[in-house]
Structures are given as structure tokens and as C-alpha cells.
Amino acid sequence: MCPSTKSEVIIMNTTIRQIAEQAGVSRGTVDRVLNDRPGVKPLVRDKIKKIAAQLNYAPNVAAKALAYSKKPALFGIIMPPEDISFFEEIREGIQAAAEELKDLGIRLQYLYVNNKEPEEGVAAIQELVAAGVAGIMFSVMDDALIRENINKAVDQGVPVITFNSDVENTRRICFVGQDLYKSGRMAAGLMSRVVTTHPKILIVIGSMRFQAHRTRVNGFKDWLTDSDANLEVMQVIEGYDRYDDTLMQINHALSLNPDIGGIYMATGHVGACMDAIKQNAGEHKIHVVCNDLMPEVEQGLREGIIDFTIVQSPYQQGYRTLRTLYEYIFKGKSPESEYIFSDTHIKILESL
Amino acid sequence: MCPSTKSEVIIMNTTIRQIAEQAGVSRGTVDRVLNDRPGVKPLVRDKIKKIAAQLNYAPNVAAKALAYSKKPALFGIIMPPEDISFFEEIREGIQAAAEELKDLGIRLQYLYVNNKEPEEGVAAIQELVAAGVAGIMFSVMDDALIRENINKAVDQGVPVITFNSDVENTRRICFVGQDLYKSGRMAAGLMSRVVTTHPKILIVIGSMRFQAHRTRVNGFKDWLTDSDANLEVMQVIEGYDRYDDTLMQINHALSLNPDIGGIYMATGHVGACMDAIKQNAGEHKIHVVCNDLMPEVEQGLREGIIDFTIVQSPYQQGYRTLRTLYEYIFKGKSPESEYIFSDTHIKILESL
DNA sequence: ATGAAAGCGCTAACAT
DNA sequence: ATGTTAGCGCTTTCAT
């Protein structure tokens, strides 16, 4: 037999028993220290912590899971109602992770809150903390009240991970979500490949007041600056996610500039955009690049109105958030980075 | 507080103890039956199996892991050497899954074999079976000798999953790999979006004798038939993965047809293709769509020679294969389908 | 052929 | 403040 190489790594993990022996205490005491439970003299506590660090201790998750199996740790999830298609996909990712962690001592508690009222989000956090959750996954729009309560939860020993939309300037352990800037850049790159004859571009968003919307626009514009493509952004339309406003403004822009060759629907009402294009069908094709994969977008791809859509792997966001929280709580492993970006992918009709 | 819905599912799993009680035997006997160990009267065996099925028994992985922790189950991995970039990514996926399964009672054993000699693959299988592996991940080119030995392993109770390249007509439990046909279709869809003025297309592959290569070509051509795009495949070039052959043939084709507007590098020597294009630079741009993300492709994207590349998530292939094998062995869960396709994604320069 | 029991690493309840 | 011990569900060894 030829160059068939072998590799076998035996990892003998350290146990609390070993730590206990080295420290000259019982395993109960070690357990107390390692899980920040009260009732240990500070001096002993430090000693044990030092030994644990030295021995590179990491808990055995199987053993932990088994011990927890009668009374699993509760993981709280706060997010908008299921009937939003984007969040449904996130939820599928969460469920997939939960399935893998099924026997590993965890239980989920979903709390669906309206994204508009911070008070609901606050109430949800408090309810979960009171219920004794081991950690929280949180996805509600930023707000001072929310920030305050996230920090309060953390102070009470309940780690929080934000996902999909971040709540910055808090002590959440990390954020799992999309790379908005990158998606803006990719949109520009795609646009430059399909828009050849009519280089004037329209960008449509909800509002420049939202950081998320601005970031995509910045990504798009920065790409134009960096590249030598001759595309030109005519106008950034704010449609406030309303059909009428969006339709009217796009109509207006298109009638004023019949030579617009592309529209980047960064956010906002896709249906309105598609209708506007239908109403203004001219001699040349108007190319459309947008984000996410809502039903209207799928429809647009099928009709050939939308060329590309850039998706942000919502499934992956759900999956990674739960797993990251699990690793943090059960293995004491902090995420590598404060920002965990989900993959940014391009989809066309043939991808479906 | 408003419409905040709750959901909490408590899953009380059945244990071998319960089965033992219901069957009026000891847990040891149940364990023997459930793991197909010898030493149980057929009558008792059937009874226990029936009860287990009725109670919808599934083993608790944490408990199983803990019991195995002193002597973890060995998972064998047979694949081409690490220094192939595609397989390195697959390996990263395998390692990521292994990391998650770290405390769950498994250990990996890699065997790197040359993809060209079936005998090496056979020897590897036999070596692993002799070593007492619990299951095998296998990725070596199809061959009668290989097929025979895969079946032999299965007969000896060692489940096999093929990945990346399948070995058909065997009793492997499933195949994890790319959807070649789909990637061919997507390539055609992309081509139609960027090739506008010069609709003649060249397809370059290694050889039509390989099913994998044919399948992509078929996907591409079928898409053309189904759509009303006016693209036309001029020629399918077989370059046998050799630089010289590929370069010469493409050069020949391009000089004969200066109006070729696109090349689909389905497989084969990308570097040769890029050089041919440089040597034949004409008035119009020749658009290139290819597969995978080898270093040359990345280079091509940066130079603007390649428009799109379609990737098949090798990382995901590695990850999913190991997890699927684990679920099969430790949870007794068969994959939903015989074919598990990794995601097919489009990448552009801005994706990198 | 089958039963009994020890042990895997950790938690939690009880004892000191 | 700290030690002791009984599980958690499964595997495995030793008895019967």
C-alpha cells in the first residue's frame, strides 16, 4: 500500500476530579467554583480557578448533559412573530440546532414580540430572566430601554446574543447577522455585470435614518468609487416600506430619466418596484438587484424582472446563534469575534 | 404585555430501563438486542424490538457518549491527500463537525489514498474494518473492486457514506455531494445574463467519458433548450485536464470563431482557458463562468477574466457527511434521502 | 441466555 | 465552607 498517511489524536481531557485532587478539595467544591456558585472561600476559589486554567479544563458536555437531563437548561428566544418569512427561516435554523442538541440538556422557550414596541421586548427579557433561563437569543430593534435591560440581564448572569438586528453598546456576548456593507458591494458588482448600455442606477431603500439601510447604500456607492465601472447612482429613493410612496417615487424617477438601466432594491417594498418597472416598460431592459428571498422576490425572479437577489442565510443565522449560545454556556467558550456574519450569497432564478 | 406567545415542548424520551421493565427482562438484555449483540433468544429479541419500536425508542446520545468516553467509537475517513485545495476545505468541514462531537464519544482516523489506484482504496477499507471502525466516510473514484469492498464492509456491519464522488450501485447508506446538473443549469442562466451581443458559447471539460463532466454539460444544454435565450453552444472541448491540450483547442476554436462570446469551464484546466483568452483578446469581451474556487479561479476573478464561479460548498460536504454518519451510528437515524446535495452557490469577485 | 452492578463526568441534595 | 453521595442513561464486565 502506498502513501496512505494516518493520523490519530487522543485527547485526554482533564476532569473536575483531577482538579479536586490537585487542589486538595472535594469535587463538589470544584463544581461550585467552576460554575460560580456561592459558598467557597475566596482563597480556595482562586486556587481552584488557577489550577483549572493551568490544566486547560473544559467541561465534558456529555456528562453535563446527562446530569442536566432531568432539568434541562432553558434557552430563551425573543423574536418577531413566526409569520414573517425571513424569521421563519431563522427559526428553522434554530430548530435544526436544537435537534442536534436534543439530548444535550437544553430546552427552548420562544417569546414572540412585536418589533415596534420596545416595552414588549423589555417585558420579554424580564419574564425570561424571572423564569431562570440560562441564556437569551434576542432580535428586537435597538432602543435605550432595551439596551438597559439587556445589560441588566447580563448582570444577573444571563448571557445574551443578539441576532439579525443588533443592539449595540451593550454587554451582549456577540451579534450574529448579515454583513450589510458587503451585500451592498456585491450588489454593485452584480449590477456592473448586467448593466451595459444605460449606466444610470436608482437605489431604493426604506429610510436613510436606519443604519441597516444606509450601510447597504454605502457599500454600493463605495464599490462604485473603488472600481472603474462607469455606473452612476442617479438617486436614492426612500419609500418608507410603503407601496404607494415607493411606486410613486420610482415612477417619477423613471419618467424623468427614461435611460435608467438598473435599480438596486436595497430594502423596501419590492412589489412596488416591480409594478413600477412594468408600468414603465421601455425599449431597454431595466436590471434589478435586490436582497433576501421573500415571496415577491421569488415571483420577480420567475418573471425575469429581478436578475439577482443577495441573501443572507437566515437559516444559518438561527443555527449559529443557538450553537454559539450553547457553546458559551455549556463549554464556556466565547465566540471568536463580537460579530459573526452569516454567508452572503447570490441567487438567480436557477438557484431556486 | 401583548401577543407574546409561548411554546414549550417537553420530550420525555423512553429509556432502555422502561423497555426492560415492559419486557420483563434486564437492561443488559435490552442493550444486547438494541445493539445487535449476540446472546439473546430470538423470541425475546423480537419482543424487545417490538416494544422499542412501539415506544419509539431513540438512544440518549449524552448517555451513550459518556459510556463510550473511555473507548470512543472510531470513524474512518478515506480520501485523497490533503494538499488538494478542494479536499482541504472538505476536511475543514469534517473537523468542524468533529469539534462539535468532541465529547460525544467519537474519534477520527484519516487514511489518505491516491484517487487513481482502486487497490489503495480497497486496502484502506480493509484496514479500517480490521481496526474495528464504527463507520466509514469514503471518497475515491468508482471501480468494481471498490464497490465489492464497500459492500463487504457493510455486510460486516460497517456503514459507509460516500462523499464528493459517489460509488453507485453499492449498499452505502447515502452520498453527500454536489448537484452537478443544477450547477450546469445555473451556469447557463448566468451566461445568458452577461452574454448579450455574441451568443456563441464554448464549453470546456475534461472528458465526456466522466459522468460528472457530462452531467454539467447536460444541465447547461438542457437549460438552453428550456429557455428562450438565444445562446448557442458552438462546441464542447475535451481538454483531458491537461494544460497544453486545453490551450491548443481553445485557441483553435477562438481563432476559427472570433465571435464567441462566452466560455463555460465546466471542469478542466482553468489556467489554460485564461491564457487562451488573453492570447485572443479581441474587440468584445469573452465572458467566463466556471466551477469551484481553486487558486487559479480566484486569480481569474481578480483579473476580471472570470465573471462567475459556481461553488459546491465543500466545507458543508465534509460537515454534513460526518454528522450524517454520526446520526446513523449513534442515533440510528437514516438520512432522509439517498442523495444529500450541498448548496450550490454563485460567487463573484466581491464575494471573496 | 440472562441478570446485576460498576463506571463514564458532572450536578445537586444532603451531611458535616 | 466543604465533603459525600446518589443519580442521569448507557455500556461492559462479571456472575449466575
Side-chain angles (χ1 to χ4, degrees):
Chain A
M1 205 172 118
C2 283
S4 102
T5 327
K6 294 176 198 182
S7 101
E8 195 167 331
V9 192
I10 292 171
I11 330 111
M12 189 45 205
N13 287 317
T14 76
T15 66
I16 52 167
R17 163 168 247 132
Q18 291 170 29
I19 297 175
E21 279 166 12
Q22 243 189 75
V25 299
S26 76
R27 315 187 260 139
T29 303
V30 175
D31 179 66
R32 280 174 201 114
V33 173
L34 262 26
N35 293 285
D36 289 316
R37 281 186 262 275
V40 181
K41 257 196 304 204
L43 210 78
V44 181
R45 193 175 281 276
D46 287 347
K47 184 179 179 187
I48 291 176
K49 280 200 166 167
K50 203 181 293 174
I51 295 178
Q54 201 173 5
L55 262 46
N56 209 354
Y57 173 81
N60 178 309
V61 298
K64 207 159 186 161
L66 202 51
Y68 270 112
S69 58
K70 269 279 167 281
K71 192 170 54 66
L74 195 57
F75 282 36
I77 301 165
I78 302 174
M79 64 182 210
E82 303 181 86
D83 55 298
I84 298 174
S85 80
F86 188 83
F87 276 96
E88 243 163 61
E89 259 190 80
I90 291 185
R91 198 173 191 274
E92 281 170 28
I94 296 175
Q95 287 304 123
E99 185 62 30
E100 290 178 359
L101 301 174
K102 187 162 168 291
D103 290 341
L104 268 38
I106 74 158
R107 210 161 32 105
L108 303 185
Q109 160 86 284
Y110 285 93
L111 243 41
Y112 299 108
V113 311
N114 191 316
N115 212 337
K116 310 291 173 189
E117 310 292 338
E119 291 77 13
E120 289 183 29
V122 170
I125 296 176
Q126 292 175 349
E127 183 183 335
L128 289 175
V129 172
V133 291
I136 294 176
M137 288 175 55
F138 189 85
S139 186
V140 174
M141 195 140 275
D142 203 342
D143 179 275
L145 218 54
I146 294 279
R147 285 198 290 277
E148 186 188 311
N149 276 271
I150 285 181
N151 284 335
K152 208 186 287 179
V154 173
D155 288 338
Q156 289 171 77
V158 179
V160 176
I161 299 186
T162 53
F163 64 103
N164 184 53
S165 79
D166 196 9
V167 184
E168 291 184 307
N169 298 316
T170 58
R171 291 194 295 285
R172 55 155 181 57
I173 62 177
C174 70
F175 164 67
V176 179
Q178 43 185 254
D179 188 340
L180 294 151
Y181 186 79
K182 183 176 183 180
S183 74
R185 289 189 73 92
M186 283 174 64
L190 287 171
M191 197 63 95
S192 77
R193 281 168 180 73
V194 289
V195 169
T196 46
T197 50
H198 297 74
K200 291 186 179 165
I201 307 295
L202 220 55
I203 298 181
V204 182
I205 60 169
S207 165
M208 280 300 257
R209 288 205 341 264
F210 290 119
Q211 193 236 330
H213 300 199
R214 270 200 318 271
T215 308
R216 283 203 183 131
V217 173
N218 290 341
F220 194 98
K221 288 185 169 174
D222 285 358
W223 185 92
L224 292 188
T225 309
D226 295 349
S227 86
D228 52 1
N230 68 337
L231 296 188
E232 177 198 348
V233 175
M234 285 288 315
Q235 189 186 342
V236 177
I237 290 177
E238 298 179 82
Y240 305 106
D241 276 321
R242 289 193 289 259
Y243 179 88
D244 289 342
D245 286 6
T246 310
L247 179 67
M248 198 199 64
Q249 289 193 66
I250 300 181
N251 268 337
H252 186 70
L254 289 179
S255 56
L256 235 60
N257 300 282
D259 57 340
I260 281 176
I263 302 181
Y264 173 36
M265 283 291 298
T267 70
H269 208 296
V270 180
C273 176
M274 292 176 16
D275 288 346
I277 290 175
K278 285 177 190 166
Q279 290 169 21
N280 290 271
E283 279 157 32
H284 68 278
K285 183 171 170 54
I286 297 179
H287 292 280
V288 178
V289 176
C290 66
N291 284 104
D292 301 326
L293 201 53
M294 297 87 74
E296 311 99 86
V297 174
E298 219 172 300
Q299 181 61 22
L301 286 168
R302 291 194 199 288
E303 290 179 14
I305 297 183
I306 297 174
D307 289 77
F308 299 99
T309 187
I310 298 166
V311 300
Q312 305 274 0
S313 314
Y315 177 97
Q316 202 190 13
Q317 282 179 32
Y319 181 89
R320 280 253 61 84
T321 308
L322 181 52
R323 278 221 84 105
T324 305
L325 189 57
Y326 173 82
E327 310 249 302
Y328 184 82
I329 294 175
F330 272 66
K331 305 195 190 175
K333 204 182 287 176
S334 291
E336 327 76 67
S337 159
E338 186 189 342
Y339 293 94
I340 299 178
F341 289 129
S342 56
D343 291 340
T344 306
H345 290 303
I346 299 163
K347 291 214 180 280
I348 57 176
L349 172 59
E350 290 78 9
S351 309
L352 302 184
Chain B
M1 205 173 119
C2 282
S4 105
T5 327
K6 294 176 198 181
S7 100
E8 195 167 331
V9 191
I10 293 170
I11 328 108
M12 190 43 206
N13 287 317
T14 74
T15 67
I16 52 166
R17 162 167 247 131
Q18 292 169 28
I19 297 175
E21 279 167 12
Q22 242 189 75
V25 299
S26 75
R27 316 187 258 139
T29 304
V30 176
D31 179 66
R32 280 174 202 117
V33 173
L34 262 24
N35 293 286
D36 290 316
R37 280 186 263 274
V40 181
K41 258 195 304 204
L43 211 77
V44 182
R45 193 175 279 278
D46 287 349
K47 185 179 179 186
I48 291 175
K49 280 201 166 164
K50 202 182 293 172
I51 295 178
Q54 201 172 4
L55 262 45
N56 207 356
Y57 173 80
N60 179 308
V61 297
K64 206 159 186 162
L66 200 52
Y68 270 111
S69 57
K70 269 278 167 280
K71 190 170 56 63
L74 195 57
F75 282 37
I77 302 166
I78 302 174
M79 64 182 210
E82 305 181 85
D83 56 298
I84 298 173
S85 80
F86 188 83
F87 276 96
E88 244 164 59
E89 261 191 78
I90 290 184
R91 198 173 191 275
E92 283 171 27
I94 296 174
Q95 287 305 124
E99 186 62 30
E100 290 178 358
L101 301 174
K102 188 165 168 289
D103 290 340
L104 268 38
I106 74 160
R107 210 162 32 105
L108 304 184
Q109 161 87 282
Y110 286 92
L111 244 41
Y112 300 106
V113 310
N114 192 315
N115 212 337
K116 311 288 174 190
E117 309 294 339
E119 289 78 14
E120 289 184 28
V122 169
I125 296 177
Q126 292 174 349
E127 183 183 337
L128 289 176
V129 171
V133 291
I136 293 176
M137 287 175 55
F138 189 85
S139 187
V140 175
M141 194 140 275
D142 202 344
D143 179 275
L145 218 53
I146 295 279
R147 284 198 292 277
E148 185 188 314
N149 277 271
I150 285 181
N151 284 336
K152 207 186 285 179
V154 173
D155 288 338
Q156 288 171 78
V158 178
V160 176
I161 299 186
T162 54
F163 65 103
N164 184 52
S165 80
D166 197 9
V167 184
E168 291 184 307
N169 298 317
T170 59
R171 290 194 295 286
R172 55 155 179 58
I173 62 177
C174 70
F175 164 68
V176 179
Q178 45 185 253
D179 188 342
L180 295 151
Y181 186 78
K182 184 176 181 180
S183 73
R185 290 190 70 93
M186 284 174 63
L190 286 171
M191 199 63 97
S192 77
R193 281 167 179 74
V194 289
V195 170
T196 47
T197 51
H198 297 74
K200 290 186 179 164
I201 308 296
L202 220 56
I203 299 181
V204 181
I205 60 170
S207 165
M208 279 301 256
R209 289 206 339 265
F210 290 119
Q211 192 235 332
H213 300 199
R214 272 201 317 271
T215 308
R216 282 204 183 128
V217 174
N218 290 341
F220 195 97
K221 287 187 168 172
D222 285 358
W223 184 91
L224 292 188
T225 308
D226 296 348
S227 85
D228 53 1
N230 69 337
L231 295 188
E232 177 199 347
V233 175
M234 285 290 314
Q235 190 186 340
V236 177
I237 290 177
E238 297 178 84
Y240 304 106
D241 278 321
R242 289 193 289 259
Y243 178 89
D244 290 341
D245 286 6
T246 310
L247 179 68
M248 198 201 62
Q249 290 193 64
I250 300 181
N251 269 337
H252 187 71
L254 288 179
S255 57
L256 236 60
N257 300 279
D259 57 341
I260 282 175
I263 301 181
Y264 173 37
M265 283 290 298
T267 70
H269 208 297
V270 181
C273 176
M274 293 178 12
D275 287 346
I277 290 175
K278 286 177 190 166
Q279 291 170 19
N280 290 272
E283 281 157 32
H284 68 278
K285 182 171 170 54
I286 297 178
H287 293 280
V288 178
V289 176
C290 66
N291 283 103
D292 301 327
L293 200 55
M294 297 88 73
E296 310 98 86
V297 174
E298 219 172 300
Q299 181 60 22
L301 286 169
R302 292 195 198 287
E303 290 179 16
I305 296 183
I306 297 173
D307 289 78
F308 299 99
T309 186
I310 298 167
V311 300
Q312 305 274 2
S313 314
Y315 178 96
Q316 201 190 14
Q317 282 179 31
Y319 182 89
R320 280 252 61 83
T321 308
L322 180 53
R323 277 222 84 103
T324 304
L325 189 57
Y326 173 81
E327 311 250 302
Y328 184 82
I329 295 175
F330 272 66
K331 305 194 190 178
K333 204 183 286 177
S334 291
E336 328 76 68
S337 160
E338 186 189 343
Y339 294 94
I340 298 178
F341 289 130
S342 56
D343 291 340
T344 307
H345 290 302
I346 300 162
K347 292 214 179 280
I348 56 177
L349 172 58
E350 291 79 8
S351 308
L352 302 182

